[in-house]
Amino acid sequence: MLFYHGEQKWEETKKVSDWITGYEHFPPYIQKYVPDYDFIYYNFSLRGDQEVKGNPKLQAYLELSKHIFIKDMEVLLDVIMTVDELLNEYDPSYFDTVMIYLLHVRDDLSVETVKERLTIEGRKRLMSIAEKIRNEGMEEEKIKVAKKLLLLKIDEEQIKEATELTAQEIEQIKKDL
């Protein structure tokens, strides 16, 4: 089954063999071991016309998948509100996953703009997610700095002080180098 939700219309392969260069030149005794079946194709991109059904978690995911690349920010914000409402009662923790995915895919989406539209619970969860993402970025930056300082043969005590990393974290970074 091929589940597609990309920006462009799916025009690519229709069969597995389309992905294998030279498949048609394989000897029959090799071809029989390569599954060559047609895809069951569901287009959940914006141009797809399938109605979204199922439990609220599935509906939320499919609605977001269908609209994630839409250019109209107002429509995207409406979809995010729908996702918030669907997941608020059914599975609030899944909202975190959906928002992390959305914030990574759509760099043109402002956390503040989304926050204004969400339920109170959605706002709390979004700000928690934004804080986690910000902290992950800061931690990655500390690790990059520590690597550079280690390569420059700077004293480990100075590195700990400069980066606020622990001795164990610095030891692990040294192993990774």
Side-chain angles (χ1 to χ4, degrees):
M1 180 179 298
L2 174 65
F3 175 85
Y4 178 71
H5 77 282
E7 286 186 73
Q8 276 77 40
K9 186 176 182 210
W10 180 265
E11 299 285 347
E12 302 295 316
T13 60
K14 304 293 185 220
K15 299 176 81 168
V16 173
S17 62
D18 294 339
W19 281 340
I20 303 170
T21 304
Y23 174 85
E24 65 280 355
H25 302 296
F26 290 173
Y29 66 89
I30 297 290
Q31 282 184 355
K32 73 180 182 179
Y33 295 107
V34 180
D36 189 29
Y37 46 82
D38 295 336
F39 291 110
I40 298 172
Y41 172 72
Y42 290 97
N43 182 3
F44 280 101
S45 64
L46 189 57
R47 291 179 194 87
D49 59 0
Q50 286 86 355
E51 183 182 346
V52 177
K53 296 180 182 180
N55 69 40
K57 188 174 180 178
L58 179 63
Q59 286 181 22
Y61 175 75
L62 294 177
E63 275 298 327
L64 184 62
S65 294
K66 186 172 186 172
H67 294 93
I68 193 141
F69 297 114
I70 193 164
K71 303 289 184 233
D72 186 338
M73 192 57 69
E74 283 301 312
V75 173
L76 180 60
L77 290 168
D78 287 343
V79 170
I80 294 169
M81 287 175 17
T82 300
V83 167
D84 179 26
E85 290 166 10
L86 284 166
L87 295 177
N88 197 25
E89 291 180 31
Y90 185 77
D91 189 354
S93 65
Y94 189 62
F95 179 77
D96 296 2
T97 304
V98 168
M99 289 309 300
I100 289 168
Y101 173 63
L102 182 63
L103 292 170
H104 281 297
V105 171
R106 294 294 298 256
D107 57 1
D108 61 335
L109 188 61
S110 157
V111 171
E112 288 302 315
T113 303
V114 173
K115 186 176 113 177
E116 292 172 6
R117 303 279 187 102
L118 296 175
T119 61
I120 292 170
E121 185 59 33
R123 284 183 199 145
K124 289 178 190 174
R125 297 191 77 79
L126 177 66
M127 295 318 293
S128 173
I129 293 163
E131 185 66 29
K132 284 179 192 174
I133 291 171
R134 189 175 12 255
N135 288 341
E136 286 172 9
M138 290 171 57
E139 200 61 30
E140 288 174 16
E141 200 55 41
K142 287 180 184 181
I143 291 169
K144 282 168 59 175
V145 169
K147 283 180 181 178
K148 288 178 182 176
L149 294 175
L150 284 168
L151 291 171
L152 293 170
K153 308 284 190 223
I154 302 297
D155 178 65
E156 288 184 33
E157 286 302 315
Q158 290 176 314
I159 296 173
K160 284 186 345 189
E161 189 175 325
T163 62
E164 298 176 351
L165 293 171
T166 66
Q168 294 86 355
E169 290 169 322
I170 291 173
E171 211 38 57
Q172 183 60 49
I173 294 168
K174 283 171 48 178
K175 287 178 186 177
D176 294 343
L177 287 175

